[in-house]
Amino acid sequence: MNTRHHDPFKAAFDSLEEFVDLISQVLNCPITIEDANHRLLAYSTHDERTDPARIYTIIGRRVPEKVINQLWKEGTIPALLKTREPIRVKNMDEIGLHNRVAISIWKQDEVLGFIWAIEIDKILTEKDFDLLKLAADSAKNKLLQLQTRKNKKEEHSQEFFWKLLTGHLKGEEEIYERFHTLKITPSASFAIAVFQFPENITNKVEQNISYLLKTGQLMKILLYTIDCNQLIILISADNIKEPYQEFNRFVQTFVLTMNERYAIKGITPVYSSIYKDYQSIGQAYQETLRVLTIKEKFPLETEDIFNYHKLGIYQLFELILEKRQSEAYENDSLKKLQEYDQKHHSNLVETLEVFLNKDNNINDAAKELNVHANTLNYRLKRISEIGDVNFKDPNQKMLLYLDLKLEKYK
C-alpha cells in the first residue's frame, strides 16, 4: 500500500491526549497541540525529548508571550494564519525554541489551532509533512467541539459583564455566585478599561482582539465585551505594586500591537480608578466614558492621560459648566479679547491659551506658536492691556485657563 495515501489517524480516539501521543508515535518526535490563542490543549507525554519553550508551555499551559511575539516578528504565525501547509521553524536559542515544524488546524477559512512537532533526533521529511496534514485534518472535529463549548461560555460571560456594567446585579452574593458559575476567580481589586476604535469593530477585528487579549500576559483579564466601536475590559489590579503604571503600559502596548500586527490605527485607550466593590462596576464604566469625552474635546492636552485619576481639573468640568450656566456667568477679560480678535482678525485668545498651557514659559509657548519670543512678549502686553489681565495674579490666570477650556468643552 502507498503510505502517502494511508491515514494512520482515521481511527476514533477518546481524547486529544490519546491523539497527540499517536501523532508522536507515528512521526517519532515530541508533539503539542494548541488552540488558536496558543493555549496548550494536549502534548505527547511518553517522550522526554524537548526544548525550553515546550517546557514553559507545558508548565504554564500556554505559550510564553515572548515566544509568541518572536514568532510574529519573524513571520511564523502570520504564515500559519494563511497556509494549510506545514511550516519549518528554525532554531531560536534566545527564546529556547529548537527546530520544529508547525501546521494550522483549519475549519473552512478559520484557524482552530496548531500542531507543533519538535525536530530533535530527526528531520521531518516530505512524507512526514503529508502525515502531519492528515493529523491536522483529523484533529479538526475535536477542536470544533472544544470551540463550541468555549463560545457558549464566552456568551454567558459577556451577558454577565453587561449586567454588571449596567447595574442589573446589585447583590454581592449573587455577583460572586455568577463568577464561580463561570469558573472565573474574581479579583479583590479591579478597574475597567475601554478602547475606542475609529470604526465599529467587525467580526475579523474582534477575532484579532480576542487573540491579543488571550495571548498577552501583561494583565489578568477577567471579562471583556464589545459595544459598536468600543472594547470594554474588566482587568485585575491584584498583586501589582504600581497598578496605574502597569495599566498605562498595558493600554499603550495593546494599541501599539493592534497597529503593528493588524494595521489598526487611531485607537483611544482609557481606564477607570481602582475599585474593590463589584457593585461599583457601573460607576467605573461611567468614569471611562467621561475620560473619553474629555479626550475627544482636548486631544492635545490629554494625549498622555489615560485614566480618570489623572484628569485633574478636567474631572470638574461638568459641575463647573452647570454652575456657570445657572449663573449666566461670563469672563469679562476673555470676552474683550474675543471681541478684539473678531474685529481685528488677530489671535490673542489662542496666544493666551498656549501661554497658559505652557505654564507661562515664553520659549515653549513661542515655539508652539511658531513666533519669536519678542513677538510673543508684545502679544502678551496687548492681552494685558486689552483684557485687563494681570499675569502676576495666579487666581486670574487659573480662572482664564479654566474658562478657556470650558469654551471648548461646551
Side-chain angles (χ1 to χ4, degrees):
M1 179 182 290
N2 187 339
T3 55
R4 179 175 291 275
H5 299 290
H6 172 61
D7 188 349
F9 310 112
K10 276 294 185 186
F13 51 93
D14 295 329
S15 66
L16 274 178
E17 287 76 13
E18 179 185 333
F19 180 62
V20 82
D21 278 338
L22 176 59
I23 303 173
S24 177
Q25 180 183 343
V26 170
L27 295 179
N28 191 28
C29 63
I31 300 291
T32 55
I33 297 181
E34 306 161 7
D35 69 10
N37 297 314
H38 306 293
R39 293 184 184 274
L40 182 66
L41 298 178
Y43 61 96
S44 53
T45 56
H46 59 282
D47 202 324
E48 295 181 357
R49 298 168 296 171
T50 190
D51 62 12
R54 185 172 188 263
I55 292 172
Y56 296 143
T57 299
I58 292 170
I59 292 173
R61 305 299 299 174
R62 63 194 298 176
V63 180
E65 189 171 14
K66 67 177 183 179
V67 175
I68 295 171
N69 289 338
Q70 188 61 31
L71 291 172
W72 268 96
K73 288 176 184 176
E74 57 82 40
T76 296
I77 294 177
L80 285 169
L81 296 175
K82 293 178 181 177
T83 182
R84 298 169 191 265
E85 297 296 317
I87 292 175
R88 199 176 292 281
V89 184
K90 293 183 179 179
N91 186 68
M92 289 182 243
D93 285 333
E94 66 273 20
I95 56 171
L97 198 81
H98 293 170
N99 292 336
R100 60 189 64 206
V101 172
I103 188 170
S104 304
I105 302 167
W106 291 81
K107 172 207 168 187
Q108 296 177 344
D109 295 328
E110 180 184 359
V111 173
L112 302 177
F114 310 96
I115 300 176
W116 297 81
I118 305 180
E119 297 178 310
I120 290 187
D121 294 334
K122 64 171 287 188
I123 302 297
L124 269 61
T125 64
E126 286 299 320
K127 177 183 174 182
D128 293 325
F129 275 30
D130 288 337
L131 289 168
L132 204 50
K133 284 194 276 188
L134 293 173
D137 188 59
S138 294
K140 177 177 62 179
N141 290 335
K142 201 68 177 177
L143 264 63
L144 276 172
Q145 294 173 14
L146 293 173
Q147 187 190 56
T148 301
R149 289 200 292 269
K150 182 190 73 172
N151 289 343
K152 286 181 179 178
K153 180 184 176 183
E154 287 187 355
E155 285 176 13
H156 291 309
S157 298
Q158 291 189 11
E159 180 186 358
F160 169 49
F161 192 20
W162 271 116
K163 286 183 177 179
L164 288 173
L165 290 168
T166 53
H168 281 81
L169 294 176
K170 295 294 185 182
E172 185 176 329
E173 186 177 338
E174 182 184 3
I175 291 171
Y176 277 85
E177 185 179 326
R178 293 287 188 95
F179 269 117
H180 295 312
T181 300
L182 291 167
K183 297 181 180 178
I184 300 172
T185 303
S187 298
S189 55
F190 62 88
I192 294 291
V194 175
F195 295 86
Q196 184 159 288
F197 284 63
E199 298 176 350
N200 283 354
I201 296 169
T202 63
N203 289 337
K204 180 60 180 174
V205 174
E206 185 174 350
Q207 288 176 13
N208 296 337
I209 289 169
S210 176
Y211 175 86
L212 211 55
L213 293 178
K214 290 173 181 176
T215 57
Q217 295 162 29
L218 283 177
M219 282 289 153
K220 181 181 178 183
I221 309 296
L222 300 174
L223 294 164
Y224 77 92
T225 190
I226 286 169
D227 182 26
C228 296
N229 69 329
Q230 290 184 349
L231 165 66
I232 309 164
I233 304 175
L234 177 62
I235 48 179
S236 170
D238 286 357
N239 304 316
I240 305 175
K241 288 184 179 180
E242 300 290 343
Y244 289 117
Q245 290 182 18
E246 290 303 311
F247 289 165
N248 269 6
R249 184 177 165 219
F250 165 66
V251 299
Q252 289 174 297
T253 300
F254 179 89
V255 170
L256 179 64
T257 309
M258 287 299 293
N259 181 17
E260 288 178 345
R261 291 187 186 174
Y262 309 115
I264 298 176
K265 304 177 186 292
I267 302 173
T268 302
V270 297
Y271 60 90
S272 71
S273 305
I274 295 172
Y275 286 81
K276 295 186 177 181
D277 181 2
Y278 282 95
Q279 296 173 88
S280 302
I281 278 186
Q283 181 180 338
Y285 178 46
Q286 290 304 314
E287 273 188 16
T288 64
L289 298 183
R290 286 199 289 274
V291 181
L292 281 171
T293 299
I294 293 294
K295 286 181 75 69
E296 286 172 3
K297 300 279 187 181
F298 307 100
L300 295 178
E301 296 92 330
T302 61
E303 184 179 2
D304 298 321
I305 296 176
F306 303 109
N307 75 308
Y308 190 78
H309 181 71
K310 289 286 186 181
L311 272 182
I313 198 168
Y314 292 104
Q315 292 181 11
L316 308 174
F317 273 17
E318 288 180 10
L319 292 173
I320 298 172
L321 188 60
E322 186 178 338
K323 179 174 172 60
R324 288 280 191 265
Q325 290 170 338
S326 67
E327 296 175 347
Y329 165 86
E330 196 168 27
N331 188 308
D332 188 57
S333 294
L334 196 54
K335 181 182 177 183
K336 290 176 181 176
L337 293 170
Q338 288 168 337
E339 288 174 349
Y340 183 89
D341 276 349
Q342 189 172 6
K343 183 177 180 180
H344 296 88
H345 306 290
S346 55
N347 58 352
L348 295 183
V349 173
E350 179 195 4
T351 299
L352 174 63
E353 183 174 9
V354 171
F355 180 65
L356 295 176
N357 281 344
K358 297 300 180 181
D359 196 23
N360 300 3
N361 187 301
I362 293 287
N363 291 328
D364 289 349
K367 186 177 179 181
E368 178 77 17
L369 291 164
N370 197 26
V371 298
H372 194 275
N374 291 339
T375 303
L376 177 57
N377 276 317
Y378 171 75
R379 288 187 189 175
L380 292 174
K381 184 179 179 181
R382 294 294 292 146
I383 289 170
S384 180
E385 293 169 349
I386 295 165
D388 192 23
V389 176
N390 179 6
F391 284 109
K392 292 183 179 180
D393 182 357
N395 185 54
Q396 188 184 20
K397 285 191 295 185
M398 281 191 288
L399 189 61
L400 278 167
Y401 178 81
L402 181 62
D403 285 332
L404 280 165
K405 299 305 178 187
L406 283 173
E407 284 287 324
K408 282 188 177 180
Y409 188 69
K410 286 192 291 186

